[in-house]
């Protein structure tokens, strides 16, 4: 069905951008902050492109007022950011560091003074290193510590923030951090990856309870999942079975306990050679399955898989970085294929239809729960032209296609209430260092000067009018 000539969103729709603490803040040794697993990992030889670190990142810690003013000038009405755990609770235990909390108080006040709705994510991958030294996410204790941290932040910001997210993309924390090792802490242990997934689920549940114990009535608590759209290479039974195994690891491992109160039986069977899941204790699944006020979904691309019989040559094409170790415990033999179509600089196929498909899946699995697209965006090799402008028509086309897919999903019965572009500005892109630019705002890493790209102006116009401009409008 063709899109209408004018794609209009409801007046209350949130037009936001998203960032994360380690990727933008810098100031890693200021005001009592202690190392996170990403500080340690980025100093490991060969772990990040060119040995890049987030020591300075884009210096948002010192430039946040200018960054908020820039958001307001562009026309955004929402901003999703994460709190740095080691900045506000330096060892992952004990009382809060008030200097760290004060930074987020100032940031939130600045946002509110510009009419921008703050949305807080408690965990975007920067586990305090001391907790990793004690075993990290594979250990139950980390989930308990997370609940204490959630309560500290909720007490500090709950009087001015009413939109909260416990975890961002726990799949990446578990399976890239402890399975393939391409993310911090860089471990390659299939059992640890599955244990981490469970304890992240438990952290979400316990963290939700902790937040609700201190937040005012009416506050919204959510989780942001990067559930993936997994497609079989063919309708052959072996390919369908392969797709099911990967879907269980990509989606079911979180959808099951968070939305339905149980891990899928097919997941338990497929991973039985790795674990007996005995670390799932009585009462855990009840704790994990907390009522959700909203659900965040992060979407970038789709995956195409098959049985091992049709495996392509070369490295695994799952889009999650190069490693000799798999992030798919118990399903290491499943073959990944590059889907056809245009790609971003990350090599990810551009497929807005996948976003529509994922939204409708959430609508079926979590009926009545409002949805937010908490991350969506694309990396391109942006550059400053001779006239000082940064033109990125590919990103504009990407945004138009995915926002139109959200509009179509809402017309089909979904309830998507907001969109957070990833990312507000170019930043430290994890293991890719500063080599990949996802930002709507260009950052000169030598001077840290910010230049809104043409996509930022296009998106700002959409935010101000509630309508999608033509792709050639800027």
């Amino acid at each position: 069905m063709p899109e209408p000539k004018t794609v209009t969103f409801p007046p209350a729709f949130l037009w936001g951008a998203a960032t994360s603490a380690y990727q933008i803040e810098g100031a890693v040794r200021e005001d009592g902050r202690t190392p996170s697993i990403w500080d340690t990992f980025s100093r490991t030889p060969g772990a990040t492109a060119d040995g890049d670190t987030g020591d300075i990142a884009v210096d948002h810690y010192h430039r946040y007022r200018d960054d908020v003013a820039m958001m307001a000038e562009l026309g955004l009405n929402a901003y999703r950011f994460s709190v740095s755990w080691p900045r506000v609770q330096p060892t992952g235990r004990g009382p809060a560091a008030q200097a760290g909390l004060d930074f987020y108080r100032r940031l939130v006040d600045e946002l509110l003074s510009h009419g921008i709705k703050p949305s807080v994510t408690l965990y975007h991958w920067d586990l305090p290193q001391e907790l990793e030294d004690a075993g990290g996410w594979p250990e139950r204790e980390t989930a308990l510590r997370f609940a204490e941290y959630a309560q500290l932040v909720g007490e500090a910001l709950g009087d001015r923030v009413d939109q909260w997210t416990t975890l961002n993309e726990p799949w990446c924390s578990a399976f890239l951090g402890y399975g393939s090792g391409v993310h911090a802490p860089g471990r390659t242990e299939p059992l640890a990856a599955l244990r981490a997934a469970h304890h992240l689920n438990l952290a979400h549940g316990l963290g939700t309870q902790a937040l609700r114990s201190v937040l005012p009535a009416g506050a919204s608590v959510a989780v942001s999942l990067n559930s993936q759209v997994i497609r079989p290479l063919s309708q052959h039974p072996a390919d369908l079975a392969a797709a099911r195994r990967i879907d269980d690891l990509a989606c079911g491992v979180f959808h099951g306990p968070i939305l339905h109160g149980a891990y899928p039986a097919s997941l338990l069977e497929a991973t039985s050679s790795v674990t007996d899941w005995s670390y799932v204790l009585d009462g855990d699944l009840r704790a994990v399955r907390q009522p959700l006020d909203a659900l965040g979904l992060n979407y970038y691309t789709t995956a195409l898989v098959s049985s091992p019989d049709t495996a392509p040559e070369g490295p695994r094409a799952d889009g999650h970085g190069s490693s000799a170790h798999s992030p798919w415990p118990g399903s290491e033999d499943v073959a990944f294929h590059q889907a056809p179509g245009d790609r971003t600089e990350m090599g990810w196929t551009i497929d807005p239809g996948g976003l529509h498909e994922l939204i409708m899946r959430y609508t079926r699995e979590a009926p009545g729960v409002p949805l937010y697209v908490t991350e969506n965006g694309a990396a391109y090799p942006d550059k400053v032209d001779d006239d000082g402008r940064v033109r990125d028509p590919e990103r504009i086309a990407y945004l138009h296609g995915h926002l139109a897919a959200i509009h179509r999903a809402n017309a089909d019965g979904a309830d998507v209430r907001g969109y957070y572009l990833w990312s507000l500005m170019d930043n430290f892109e994890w293991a890719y260092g500063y080599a990949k630019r996802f930002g709507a705002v260009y950052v000169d890493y030598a001077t840290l000067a910010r230049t809104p790209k043409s996509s930022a102006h296009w998106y700002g116009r959409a935010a101000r009018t509630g309508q999608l401009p033509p792709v050639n409008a800027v």
Side-chain angles (χ1 to χ4, degrees):
M1 174 177 157
E3 291 296 330
K5 290 184 179 179
T6 301
V7 178
T8 303
F9 287 78
F13 193 82
L14 294 182
W15 298 87
T19 63
S20 86
Y22 189 73
Q23 292 180 274
I24 67 167
E25 285 182 0
V28 297
R29 299 178 185 86
E30 294 188 34
D31 295 330
R33 183 188 179 280
T34 56
S36 75
I37 55 175
W38 272 96
D39 294 284
T40 302
F41 183 74
S42 64
R43 285 170 170 73
T44 303
T48 65
D50 298 323
D52 290 339
T53 75
D55 285 6
I56 299 173
V58 296
D59 197 32
H60 175 72
Y61 192 76
H62 300 111
R63 299 167 186 251
Y64 72 92
R65 289 189 177 89
D66 291 340
D67 290 338
V68 172
M70 178 177 64
M71 285 184 245
E73 186 175 348
L74 289 172
L76 306 189
N77 64 13
Y79 175 52
R80 176 177 178 250
F81 64 93
S82 78
V83 171
S84 167
W85 190 347
R87 192 179 296 286
V88 304
Q89 196 187 31
T91 65
R93 297 180 176 84
Q98 291 304 314
L101 285 176
D102 284 345
F103 167 71
Y104 296 106
R105 292 186 177 106
R106 294 192 301 270
L107 172 60
V108 169
D109 288 345
E110 196 73 17
L111 290 164
L112 293 174
S113 73
H114 284 82
I116 298 172
K117 183 181 183 66
S119 179
V120 169
T121 298
L122 288 173
Y123 186 74
H124 199 133
W125 309 352
D126 48 356
L127 185 71
Q129 182 60 45
E130 287 198 27
L131 293 185
E132 174 58 31
D133 292 342
W137 284 114
E139 298 302 319
R140 170 174 295 268
E141 182 72 11
T142 306
L144 306 181
R145 299 284 73 75
F146 177 80
E148 294 180 359
Y149 157 67
Q151 182 171 331
L152 292 175
V153 182
E155 289 172 338
L157 302 181
D159 62 336
R160 62 199 86 182
V161 176
D162 63 9
Q163 193 170 71
W164 295 80
T165 297
T166 53
L167 309 174
N168 181 79
E169 297 187 356
W171 187 89
C172 294
S173 299
F175 296 103
L176 301 184
Y178 295 92
S180 65
V182 299
H183 279 191
R187 289 163 60 178
T188 54
E189 305 161 36
L191 173 56
L194 291 167
R195 289 177 60 97
H198 175 64
H199 293 131
L200 283 155
N201 282 329
L202 185 60
H204 159 71
L206 298 177
T208 297
Q209 292 176 330
L211 282 174
R212 288 190 173 135
S213 74
V214 296
L215 294 180
S220 172
V221 181
V223 64
S224 286
L225 303 177
N226 60 321
S227 305
Q228 299 176 43
V229 177
I230 310 297
R231 294 175 175 155
L233 183 66
S234 76
Q235 293 301 301
H236 189 281
D239 290 350
L240 293 173
R244 175 59 187 267
R245 288 164 62 193
I246 297 301
D247 185 83
D248 278 343
L249 285 165
C251 305
V253 69
F254 299 108
H255 288 210
I258 291 174
L259 301 180
H260 310 300
Y263 288 102
S266 51
L267 170 69
L268 303 182
E269 180 181 356
T271 56
S272 61
S273 63
V274 181
T275 179
D276 61 4
W277 293 85
S278 58
Y279 41 85
V280 180
L281 304 185
D282 288 346
D284 280 6
L285 293 173
R286 287 192 300 276
V288 172
R289 192 188 184 189
Q290 296 298 309
L292 291 170
D293 301 303
L295 191 52
L297 60 135
N298 297 357
Y299 172 82
Y300 292 94
T301 190
T302 59
L304 187 63
V305 303
S306 73
S307 69
D309 297 338
T310 53
E313 294 184 4
R316 184 179 55 255
D318 63 3
H320 296 298
S322 178
S323 172
H325 302 273
S326 173
W328 308 105
S331 293
E332 294 88 350
D333 59 340
V334 170
F336 285 80
H337 304 257
Q338 179 67 56
D342 294 336
R343 306 177 194 173
T344 69
E345 195 186 17
M346 295 291 289
W348 298 343
T349 301
I350 301 168
D351 186 355
L355 177 57
H356 177 274
E357 183 178 331
L358 185 58
I359 290 170
M360 299 316 294
R361 175 174 180 172
Y362 275 87
T363 300
R364 292 189 302 272
E365 290 202 44
V369 178
L371 304 177
Y372 293 86
V373 176
T374 41
E375 284 187 29
N376 176 244
Y380 289 105
D382 306 310
K383 61 183 179 62
V384 181
D385 291 340
D386 292 340
D387 62 1
R389 296 178 61 188
V390 181
R391 295 172 173 85
D392 56 344
E394 301 93 346
R395 187 174 286 105
I396 292 174
Y398 182 101
L399 296 178
H400 187 284
H402 287 79
L403 283 161
I406 294 170
H407 185 272
R408 188 167 68 252
N410 278 347
D412 290 341
D415 183 16
V416 182
R417 299 186 182 181
Y419 177 87
Y420 291 86
L421 165 66
W422 187 270
S423 176
L424 172 65
M425 53 189 161
D426 298 333
N427 54 41
F428 176 81
E429 190 50 44
W430 307 115
Y432 295 97
Y434 298 97
K436 306 295 184 187
R437 293 181 178 269
F438 275 87
V441 174
Y442 183 91
V443 177
D444 181 328
Y445 293 126
T447 66
L448 299 179
R450 277 84 154 134
T451 303
K453 305 172 188 178
S454 56
S455 62
H457 295 295
W458 182 92
Y459 183 61
R461 179 173 164 184
R464 289 189 298 272
T465 64
Q467 297 180 343
L468 297 190
V471 292
N472 58 356
V474 177

